[in-house]
PDB file of all heavy atoms in Angstrom:
ATOM      1  N   ASN A   1     -63.134  72.101   9.491  1.00 90.00           N
ATOM      2  CA  ASN A   1     -63.224  71.131  10.586  1.00 90.00           C
ATOM      3  C   ASN A   1     -61.879  70.935  11.266  1.00 90.00           C
ATOM      4  O   ASN A   1     -60.887  70.608  10.614  1.00 90.00           O
ATOM      5  CB  ASN A   1     -63.705  69.774  10.047  1.00 90.00           C
ATOM      6  CG  ASN A   1     -65.173  69.788   9.694  1.00 90.00           C
ATOM      7  OD1 ASN A   1     -65.964  70.489  10.318  1.00 90.00           O
ATOM      8  ND2 ASN A   1     -65.549  69.019   8.686  1.00 90.00           N
ATOM      9  N   GLN A   2     -61.857  71.150  12.585  1.00 92.00           N
ATOM     10  CA  GLN A   2     -60.630  71.005  13.382  1.00 92.00           C
ATOM     11  C   GLN A   2     -59.479  71.827  12.809  1.00 92.00           C
ATOM     12  O   GLN A   2     -58.332  71.414  12.846  1.00 92.00           O
ATOM     13  CB  GLN A   2     -60.220  69.522  13.514  1.00 92.00           C
ATOM     14  CG  GLN A   2     -61.106  68.693  14.420  1.00 92.00           C
ATOM     15  CD  GLN A   2     -62.429  68.337  13.773  1.00 92.00           C
ATOM     16  OE1 GLN A   2     -62.481  67.805  12.664  1.00 92.00           O
ATOM     17  NE2 GLN A   2     -63.522  68.624  14.468  1.00 92.00           N
ATOM     18  N   ILE A   3     -59.779  73.016  12.309  1.00 96.00           N
ATOM     19  CA  ILE A   3     -58.824  73.980  11.734  1.00 96.00           C
ATOM     20  C   ILE A   3     -57.733  73.296  10.899  1.00 96.00           C
ATOM     21  O   ILE A   3     -56.544  73.550  11.072  1.00 96.00           O
ATOM     22  CB  ILE A   3     -58.227  74.923  12.807  1.00 96.00           C
ATOM     23  CG1 ILE A   3     -57.484  74.181  13.914  1.00 96.00           C
ATOM     24  CG2 ILE A   3     -59.317  75.793  13.426  1.00 96.00           C
ATOM     25  CD1 ILE A   3     -56.714  75.127  14.872  1.00 96.00           C
ATOM     26  N   ILE A   4     -58.173  72.463   9.950  1.00 94.00           N
ATOM     27  CA  ILE A   4     -57.209  71.658   9.194  1.00 94.00           C
ATOM     28  C   ILE A   4     -56.340  72.498   8.271  1.00 94.00           C
ATOM     29  O   ILE A   4     -55.174  72.164   8.037  1.00 94.00           O
ATOM     30  CB  ILE A   4     -57.918  70.545   8.398  1.00 94.00           C
ATOM     31  CG1 ILE A   4     -58.988  71.118   7.458  1.00 94.00           C
ATOM     32  CG2 ILE A   4     -58.504  69.505   9.326  1.00 94.00           C
ATOM     33  CD1 ILE A   4     -59.536  70.093   6.483  1.00 94.00           C
ATOM     34  N   ALA A   5     -56.882  73.586   7.703  1.00 95.00           N
ATOM     35  CA  ALA A   5     -56.047  74.417   6.831  1.00 95.00           C
ATOM     36  C   ALA A   5     -54.862  74.971   7.601  1.00 95.00           C
ATOM     37  O   ALA A   5     -53.722  74.981   7.117  1.00 95.00           O
ATOM     38  CB  ALA A   5     -56.882  75.553   6.232  1.00 95.00           C
ATOM     39  N   THR A   6     -55.121  75.408   8.829  1.00 97.00           N
ATOM     40  CA  THR A   6     -54.055  75.947   9.666  1.00 97.00           C
ATOM     41  C   THR A   6     -53.097  74.850  10.124  1.00 97.00           C
ATOM     42  O   THR A   6     -51.882  75.043  10.163  1.00 97.00           O
ATOM     43  CB  THR A   6     -54.649  76.660  10.880  1.00 97.00           C
ATOM     44  OG1 THR A   6     -55.553  77.665  10.434  1.00 97.00           O
ATOM     45  CG2 THR A   6     -53.574  77.295  11.726  1.00 97.00           C
ATOM     46  N   GLY A   7     -53.660  73.694  10.479  1.00 97.00           N
ATOM     47  CA  GLY A   7     -52.809  72.596  10.926  1.00 97.00           C
ATOM     48  C   GLY A   7     -51.823  72.161   9.868  1.00 97.00           C
ATOM     49  O   GLY A   7     -50.639  71.930  10.147  1.00 97.00           O
ATOM     50  N   PHE A   8     -52.285  72.065   8.614  1.00 97.00           N
ATOM     51  CA  PHE A   8     -51.390  71.671   7.536  1.00 97.00           C
ATOM     52  C   PHE A   8     -50.375  72.775   7.232  1.00 97.00           C
ATOM     53  O   PHE A   8     -49.226  72.491   6.900  1.00 97.00           O
ATOM     54  CB  PHE A   8     -52.184  71.319   6.287  1.00 97.00           C
ATOM     55  CG  PHE A   8     -53.018  70.066   6.441  1.00 97.00           C
ATOM     56  CD1 PHE A   8     -54.211  69.928   5.759  1.00 97.00           C
ATOM     57  CD2 PHE A   8     -52.620  69.041   7.281  1.00 97.00           C
ATOM     58  CE1 PHE A   8     -54.983  68.787   5.895  1.00 97.00           C
ATOM     59  CE2 PHE A   8     -53.382  67.894   7.431  1.00 97.00           C
ATOM     60  CZ  PHE A   8     -54.574  67.763   6.733  1.00 97.00           C
ATOM     61  N   ALA A   9     -50.789  74.039   7.360  1.00 98.00           N
ATOM     62  CA  ALA A   9     -49.834  75.134   7.166  1.00 98.00           C
ATOM     63  C   ALA A   9     -48.773  75.114   8.257  1.00 98.00           C
ATOM     64  O   ALA A   9     -47.579  75.316   7.985  1.00 98.00           O
ATOM     65  CB  ALA A   9     -50.562  76.479   7.161  1.00 98.00           C
ATOM     66  N   ALA A  10     -49.188  74.866   9.493  1.00 97.00           N
ATOM     67  CA  ALA A  10     -48.233  74.792  10.604  1.00 97.00           C
ATOM     68  C   ALA A  10     -47.274  73.627  10.415  1.00 97.00           C
ATOM     69  O   ALA A  10     -46.089  73.718  10.763  1.00 97.00           O
ATOM     70  CB  ALA A  10     -48.984  74.662  11.926  1.00 97.00           C
ATOM     71  N   ARG A  11     -47.787  72.526   9.864  1.00 97.00           N
ATOM     72  CA  ARG A  11     -46.911  71.377   9.572  1.00 97.00           C
ATOM     73  C   ARG A  11     -45.827  71.770   8.575  1.00 97.00           C
ATOM     74  O   ARG A  11     -44.648  71.433   8.748  1.00 97.00           O
ATOM     75  CB  ARG A  11     -47.754  70.232   9.018  1.00 97.00           C
ATOM     76  CG  ARG A  11     -46.953  69.001   8.619  1.00 97.00           C
ATOM     77  CD  ARG A  11     -47.848  67.926   8.023  1.00 97.00           C
ATOM     78  NE  ARG A  11     -48.444  68.338   6.746  1.00 97.00           N
ATOM     79  CZ  ARG A  11     -49.319  67.599   6.063  1.00 97.00           C
ATOM     80  NH1 ARG A  11     -49.720  66.434   6.551  1.00 97.00           N
ATOM     81  NH2 ARG A  11     -49.816  68.040   4.912  1.00 97.00           N
ATOM     82  N   ALA A  12     -46.221  72.499   7.550  1.00 97.00           N
ATOM     83  CA  ALA A  12     -45.254  72.903   6.529  1.00 97.00           C
ATOM     84  C   ALA A  12     -44.268  73.934   7.065  1.00 97.00           C
ATOM     85  O   ALA A  12     -43.085  73.917   6.704  1.00 97.00           O
ATOM     86  CB  ALA A  12     -45.990  73.469   5.313  1.00 97.00           C
ATOM     87  N   LEU A  13     -44.739  74.826   7.936  1.00 97.00           N
ATOM     88  CA  LEU A  13     -43.873  75.880   8.468  1.00 97.00           C
ATOM     89  C   LEU A  13     -42.920  75.349   9.534  1.00 97.00           C
ATOM     90  O   LEU A  13     -41.839  75.914   9.749  1.00 97.00           O
ATOM     91  CB  LEU A  13     -44.726  77.008   9.056  1.00 97.00           C
ATOM     92  CG  LEU A  13     -45.520  77.844   8.051  1.00 97.00           C
ATOM     93  CD1 LEU A  13     -46.584  78.676   8.770  1.00 97.00           C
ATOM     94  CD2 LEU A  13     -44.598  78.747   7.247  1.00 97.00           C
ATOM     95  N   GLY A  14     -43.317  74.288  10.240  1.00 97.00           N
ATOM     96  CA  GLY A  14     -42.461  73.704  11.260  1.00 97.00           C
ATOM     97  C   GLY A  14     -42.282  74.575  12.490  1.00 97.00           C
ATOM     98  O   GLY A  14     -41.229  74.540  13.137  1.00 97.00           O
ATOM     99  N   LEU A  15     -43.318  75.348  12.853  1.00 97.00           N
ATOM    100  CA  LEU A  15     -43.222  76.283  13.978  1.00 97.00           C
ATOM    101  C   LEU A  15     -43.986  75.774  15.194  1.00 97.00           C
ATOM    102  O   LEU A  15     -44.973  75.037  15.048  1.00 97.00           O
ATOM    103  CB  LEU A  15     -43.799  77.646  13.576  1.00 97.00           C
ATOM    104  CG  LEU A  15     -43.161  78.340  12.370  1.00 97.00           C
ATOM    105  CD1 LEU A  15     -43.945  79.596  12.016  1.00 97.00           C
ATOM    106  CD2 LEU A  15     -41.710  78.679  12.671  1.00 97.00           C
ATOM    107  N   PRO A  16     -43.585  76.163  16.413  1.00 98.00           N
ATOM    108  CA  PRO A  16     -44.416  75.890  17.590  1.00 98.00           C
ATOM    109  C   PRO A  16     -45.807  76.489  17.373  1.00 98.00           C
ATOM    110  O   PRO A  16     -45.925  77.661  17.017  1.00 98.00           O
ATOM    111  CB  PRO A  16     -43.662  76.590  18.725  1.00 98.00           C
ATOM    112  CG  PRO A  16     -42.242  76.635  18.251  1.00 98.00           C
ATOM    113  CD  PRO A  16     -42.315  76.833  16.772  1.00 98.00           C
ATOM    114  N   PHE A  17     -46.834  75.697  17.592  1.00 98.00           N
ATOM    115  CA  PHE A  17     -48.169  76.010  17.089  1.00 98.00           C
ATOM    116  C   PHE A  17     -49.177  76.171  18.210  1.00 98.00           C
ATOM    117  O   PHE A  17     -49.263  75.329  19.111  1.00 98.00           O
ATOM    118  CB  PHE A  17     -48.596  74.891  16.133  1.00 98.00           C
ATOM    119  CG  PHE A  17     -49.972  75.028  15.562  1.00 98.00           C
ATOM    120  CD1 PHE A  17     -50.410  76.229  15.026  1.00 98.00           C
ATOM    121  CD2 PHE A  17     -50.833  73.944  15.549  1.00 98.00           C
ATOM    122  CE1 PHE A  17     -51.684  76.353  14.492  1.00 98.00           C
ATOM    123  CE2 PHE A  17     -52.112  74.045  15.008  1.00 98.00           C
ATOM    124  CZ  PHE A  17     -52.533  75.250  14.474  1.00 98.00           C
ATOM    125  N   VAL A  18     -49.947  77.263  18.143  1.00 98.00           N
ATOM    126  CA  VAL A  18     -51.102  77.469  19.023  1.00 98.00           C
ATOM    127  C   VAL A  18     -52.318  77.574  18.114  1.00 98.00           C
ATOM    128  O   VAL A  18     -52.550  78.607  17.478  1.00 98.00           O
ATOM    129  CB  VAL A  18     -50.952  78.738  19.882  1.00 98.00           C
ATOM    130  CG1 VAL A  18     -52.169  78.892  20.811  1.00 98.00           C
ATOM    131  CG2 VAL A  18     -49.673  78.701  20.695  1.00 98.00           C
ATOM    132  N   GLY A  19     -53.089  76.488  18.010  1.00 98.00           N
ATOM    133  CA  GLY A  19     -54.270  76.479  17.154  1.00 98.00           C
ATOM    134  C   GLY A  19     -55.451  77.123  17.860  1.00 98.00           C
ATOM    135  O   GLY A  19     -55.749  76.801  19.014  1.00 98.00           O
ATOM    136  N   LEU A  20     -56.105  78.041  17.184  1.00 98.00           N
ATOM    137  CA  LEU A  20     -57.194  78.814  17.787  1.00 98.00           C
ATOM    138  C   LEU A  20     -58.472  78.670  16.972  1.00 98.00           C
ATOM    139  O   LEU A  20     -58.423  78.517  15.747  1.00 98.00           O
ATOM    140  CB  LEU A  20     -56.827  80.299  17.848  1.00 98.00           C
ATOM    141  CG  LEU A  20     -55.560  80.669  18.626  1.00 98.00           C
ATOM    142  CD1 LEU A  20     -55.258  82.155  18.437  1.00 98.00           C
ATOM    143  CD2 LEU A  20     -55.732  80.341  20.099  1.00 98.00           C
ATOM    144  N   TYR A  21     -59.606  78.743  17.659  1.00 96.00           N
ATOM    145  CA  TYR A  21     -60.877  78.823  16.949  1.00 96.00           C
ATOM    146  C   TYR A  21     -61.788  79.830  17.645  1.00 96.00           C
ATOM    147  O   TYR A  21     -62.328  79.569  18.719  1.00 96.00           O
ATOM    148  CB  TYR A  21     -61.592  77.475  16.865  1.00 96.00           C
ATOM    149  CG  TYR A  21     -62.831  77.594  16.007  1.00 96.00           C
ATOM    150  CD1 TYR A  21     -62.730  77.532  14.623  1.00 96.00           C
ATOM    151  CD2 TYR A  21     -64.081  77.825  16.566  1.00 96.00           C
ATOM    152  CE1 TYR A  21     -63.845  77.676  13.809  1.00 96.00           C
ATOM    153  CE2 TYR A  21     -65.203  77.979  15.766  1.00 96.00           C
ATOM    154  CZ  TYR A  21     -65.079  77.900  14.393  1.00 96.00           C
ATOM    155  OH  TYR A  21     -66.183  78.065  13.599  1.00 96.00           O
ATOM    156  N   GLY A  22     -61.921  80.980  17.030  1.00 96.00           N
ATOM    157  CA  GLY A  22     -62.891  81.981  17.474  1.00 96.00           C
ATOM    158  C   GLY A  22     -63.781  82.359  16.311  1.00 96.00           C
ATOM    159  O   GLY A  22     -64.276  83.480  16.256  1.00 96.00           O
ATOM    160  N   ALA A  23     -63.941  81.393  15.366  1.00 94.00           N
ATOM    161  CA  ALA A  23     -64.639  81.672  14.103  1.00 94.00           C
ATOM    162  C   ALA A  23     -63.970  82.885  13.449  1.00 94.00           C
ATOM    163  O   ALA A  23     -62.754  82.973  13.427  1.00 94.00           O
ATOM    164  CB  ALA A  23     -66.128  81.841  14.326  1.00 94.00           C
ATOM    165  N   CYS A  24     -64.774  83.831  12.965  1.00 95.00           N
ATOM    166  CA  CYS A  24     -64.194  84.949  12.206  1.00 95.00           C
ATOM    167  C   CYS A  24     -63.400  85.921  13.085  1.00 95.00           C
ATOM    168  O   CYS A  24     -62.738  86.816  12.566  1.00 95.00           O
ATOM    169  CB  CYS A  24     -65.297  85.702  11.460  1.00 95.00           C
ATOM    170  SG  CYS A  24     -66.242  84.652  10.338  1.00 95.00           S
ATOM    171  N   SER A  25     -63.445  85.748  14.406  1.00 97.00           N
ATOM    172  CA  SER A  25     -62.686  86.621  15.309  1.00 97.00           C
ATOM    173  C   SER A  25     -61.287  86.088  15.605  1.00 97.00           C
ATOM    174  O   SER A  25     -60.540  86.687  16.385  1.00 97.00           O
ATOM    175  CB  SER A  25     -63.440  86.782  16.636  1.00 97.00           C
ATOM    176  OG  SER A  25     -63.471  85.548  17.356  1.00 97.00           O
ATOM    177  N   THR A  26     -60.910  84.960  14.985  1.00 98.00           N
ATOM    178  CA  THR A  26     -59.695  84.234  15.370  1.00 98.00           C
ATOM    179  C   THR A  26     -58.432  85.084  15.299  1.00 98.00           C
ATOM    180  O   THR A  26     -57.569  85.010  16.183  1.00 98.00           O
ATOM    181  CB  THR A  26     -59.549  82.983  14.491  1.00 98.00           C
ATOM    182  OG1 THR A  26     -60.651  82.098  14.755  1.00 98.00           O
ATOM    183  CG2 THR A  26     -58.245  82.262  14.760  1.00 98.00           C
ATOM    184  N   PHE A  27     -58.284  85.894  14.245  1.00 98.00           N
ATOM    185  CA  PHE A  27     -57.063  86.695  14.104  1.00 98.00           C
ATOM    186  C   PHE A  27     -56.881  87.654  15.280  1.00 98.00           C
ATOM    187  O   PHE A  27     -55.780  87.750  15.851  1.00 98.00           O
ATOM    188  CB  PHE A  27     -57.103  87.482  12.795  1.00 98.00           C
ATOM    189  CG  PHE A  27     -55.961  88.453  12.619  1.00 98.00           C
ATOM    190  CD1 PHE A  27     -54.671  88.008  12.446  1.00 98.00           C
ATOM    191  CD2 PHE A  27     -56.197  89.820  12.620  1.00 98.00           C
ATOM    192  CE1 PHE A  27     -53.617  88.904  12.292  1.00 98.00           C
ATOM    193  CE2 PHE A  27     -55.154  90.720  12.460  1.00 98.00           C
ATOM    194  CZ  PHE A  27     -53.857  90.262  12.302  1.00 98.00           C
ATOM    195  N   VAL A  28     -57.936  88.337  15.668  1.00 98.00           N
ATOM    196  CA  VAL A  28     -57.827  89.290  16.780  1.00 98.00           C
ATOM    197  C   VAL A  28     -57.634  88.544  18.094  1.00 98.00           C
ATOM    198  O   VAL A  28     -56.879  88.989  18.969  1.00 98.00           O
ATOM    199  CB  VAL A  28     -59.052  90.218  16.824  1.00 98.00           C
ATOM    200  CG1 VAL A  28     -58.908  91.242  17.958  1.00 98.00           C
ATOM    201  CG2 VAL A  28     -59.214  90.943  15.491  1.00 98.00           C
ATOM    202  N   GLU A  29     -58.276  87.398  18.254  1.00 98.00           N
ATOM    203  CA  GLU A  29     -58.041  86.556  19.428  1.00 98.00           C
ATOM    204  C   GLU A  29     -56.557  86.216  19.543  1.00 98.00           C
ATOM    205  O   GLU A  29     -55.963  86.279  20.630  1.00 98.00           O
ATOM    206  CB  GLU A  29     -58.873  85.282  19.313  1.00 98.00           C
ATOM    207  CG  GLU A  29     -58.681  84.305  20.459  1.00 98.00           C
ATOM    208  CD  GLU A  29     -59.407  82.990  20.237  1.00 98.00           C
ATOM    209  OE1 GLU A  29     -59.859  82.729  19.101  1.00 98.00           O
ATOM    210  OE2 GLU A  29     -59.507  82.199  21.204  1.00 98.00           O
ATOM    211  N   GLY A  30     -55.939  85.868  18.424  1.00 98.00           N
ATOM    212  CA  GLY A  30     -54.510  85.558  18.436  1.00 98.00           C
ATOM    213  C   GLY A  30     -53.664  86.746  18.831  1.00 98.00           C
ATOM    214  O   GLY A  30     -52.684  86.604  19.583  1.00 98.00           O
ATOM    215  N   LEU A  31     -54.008  87.939  18.339  1.00 98.00           N
ATOM    216  CA  LEU A  31     -53.261  89.140  18.719  1.00 98.00           C
ATOM    217  C   LEU A  31     -53.349  89.399  20.216  1.00 98.00           C
ATOM    218  O   LEU A  31     -52.356  89.770  20.857  1.00 98.00           O
ATOM    219  CB  LEU A  31     -53.797  90.350  17.959  1.00 98.00           C
ATOM    220  CG  LEU A  31     -53.514  90.430  16.455  1.00 98.00           C
ATOM    221  CD1 LEU A  31     -54.217  91.647  15.863  1.00 98.00           C
ATOM    222  CD2 LEU A  31     -52.020  90.496  16.172  1.00 98.00           C
ATOM    223  N   VAL A  32     -54.538  89.222  20.806  1.00 98.00           N
ATOM    224  CA  VAL A  32     -54.715  89.438  22.248  1.00 98.00           C
ATOM    225  C   VAL A  32     -53.817  88.501  23.048  1.00 98.00           C
ATOM    226  O   VAL A  32     -53.109  88.916  23.975  1.00 98.00           O
ATOM    227  CB  VAL A  32     -56.195  89.242  22.647  1.00 98.00           C
ATOM    228  CG1 VAL A  32     -56.350  89.274  24.171  1.00 98.00           C
ATOM    229  CG2 VAL A  32     -57.079  90.309  22.017  1.00 98.00           C
ATOM    230  N   LEU A  33     -53.834  87.215  22.700  1.00 98.00           N
ATOM    231  CA  LEU A  33     -53.091  86.214  23.465  1.00 98.00           C
ATOM    232  C   LEU A  33     -51.586  86.318  23.248  1.00 98.00           C
ATOM    233  O   LEU A  33     -50.806  86.269  24.206  1.00 98.00           O
ATOM    234  CB  LEU A  33     -53.581  84.818  23.086  1.00 98.00           C
ATOM    235  CG  LEU A  33     -55.052  84.525  23.392  1.00 98.00           C
ATOM    236  CD1 LEU A  33     -55.440  83.149  22.867  1.00 98.00           C
ATOM    237  CD2 LEU A  33     -55.335  84.639  24.879  1.00 98.00           C
ATOM    238  N   ALA A  34     -51.159  86.450  22.004  1.00 98.00           N
ATOM    239  CA  ALA A  34     -49.722  86.532  21.729  1.00 98.00           C
ATOM    240  C   ALA A  34     -49.118  87.784  22.349  1.00 98.00           C
ATOM    241  O   ALA A  34     -47.999  87.755  22.874  1.00 98.00           O
ATOM    242  CB  ALA A  34     -49.481  86.518  20.216  1.00 98.00           C
ATOM    243  N   SER A  35     -49.846  88.892  22.306  1.00 98.00           N
ATOM    244  CA  SER A  35     -49.345  90.132  22.902  1.00 98.00           C
ATOM    245  C   SER A  35     -49.156  89.989  24.406  1.00 98.00           C
ATOM    246  O   SER A  35     -48.192  90.515  24.976  1.00 98.00           O
ATOM    247  CB  SER A  35     -50.311  91.283  22.599  1.00 98.00           C
ATOM    248  OG  SER A  35     -50.387  91.528  21.210  1.00 98.00           O
ATOM    249  N   ALA A  36     -50.070  89.263  25.049  1.00 98.00           N
ATOM    250  CA  ALA A  36     -49.938  89.047  26.494  1.00 98.00           C
ATOM    251  C   ALA A  36     -48.683  88.240  26.816  1.00 98.00           C
ATOM    252  O   ALA A  36     -47.943  88.559  27.757  1.00 98.00           O
ATOM    253  CB  ALA A  36     -51.184  88.336  27.030  1.00 98.00           C
ATOM    254  N   LEU A  37     -48.413  87.204  26.032  1.00 98.00           N
ATOM    255  CA  LEU A  37     -47.241  86.366  26.285  1.00 98.00           C
ATOM    256  C   LEU A  37     -45.940  87.107  25.984  1.00 98.00           C
ATOM    257  O   LEU A  37     -44.943  86.937  26.691  1.00 98.00           O
ATOM    258  CB  LEU A  37     -47.336  85.096  25.447  1.00 98.00           C
ATOM    259  CG  LEU A  37     -48.434  84.109  25.878  1.00 98.00           C
ATOM    260  CD1 LEU A  37     -48.562  82.981  24.873  1.00 98.00           C
ATOM    261  CD2 LEU A  37     -48.148  83.553  27.269  1.00 98.00           C
ATOM    262  N   ILE A  38     -45.948  87.937  24.955  1.00 98.00           N
ATOM    263  CA  ILE A  38     -44.741  88.722  24.649  1.00 98.00           C
ATOM    264  C   ILE A  38     -44.516  89.791  25.716  1.00 98.00           C
ATOM    265  O   ILE A  38     -43.398  89.999  26.188  1.00 98.00           O
ATOM    266  CB  ILE A  38     -44.858  89.344  23.246  1.00 98.00           C
ATOM    267  CG1 ILE A  38     -44.821  88.249  22.185  1.00 98.00           C
ATOM    268  CG2 ILE A  38     -43.714  90.339  23.009  1.00 98.00           C
ATOM    269  CD1 ILE A  38     -45.084  88.743  20.776  1.00 98.00           C
ATOM    270  N   SER A  39     -45.584  90.479  26.107  1.00 98.00           N
ATOM    271  CA  SER A  39     -45.469  91.520  27.132  1.00 98.00           C
ATOM    272  C   SER A  39     -44.940  90.947  28.446  1.00 98.00           C
ATOM    273  O   SER A  39     -44.158  91.590  29.148  1.00 98.00           O
ATOM    274  CB  SER A  39     -46.830  92.192  27.359  1.00 98.00           C
ATOM    275  OG  SER A  39     -46.758  93.154  28.380  1.00 98.00           O
TER     276      SER A  39
END
């Protein structure tokens, strides 16, 4: 619910955070978006 596992991990890591929800596709969704911003 509300990607809480990721939110708490991001809290511990202390990094600028982009929380995503694409269900089981989330990792690849992140690669698509992050690659666009880096490019």
Side-chain angles (χ1 to χ4, degrees):
N1 287 328
Q2 288 76 53
I3 59 172
I4 56 170
T6 304
F8 292 149
R11 178 182 66 184
L13 291 165
L15 302 174
F17 178 47
V18 181
L20 301 173
Y21 186 82
C24 302
S25 68
T26 296
F27 174 68
V28 182
E29 178 186 13
L31 289 176
V32 172
L33 298 175
S35 297
L37 290 172
I38 292 174
S39 177

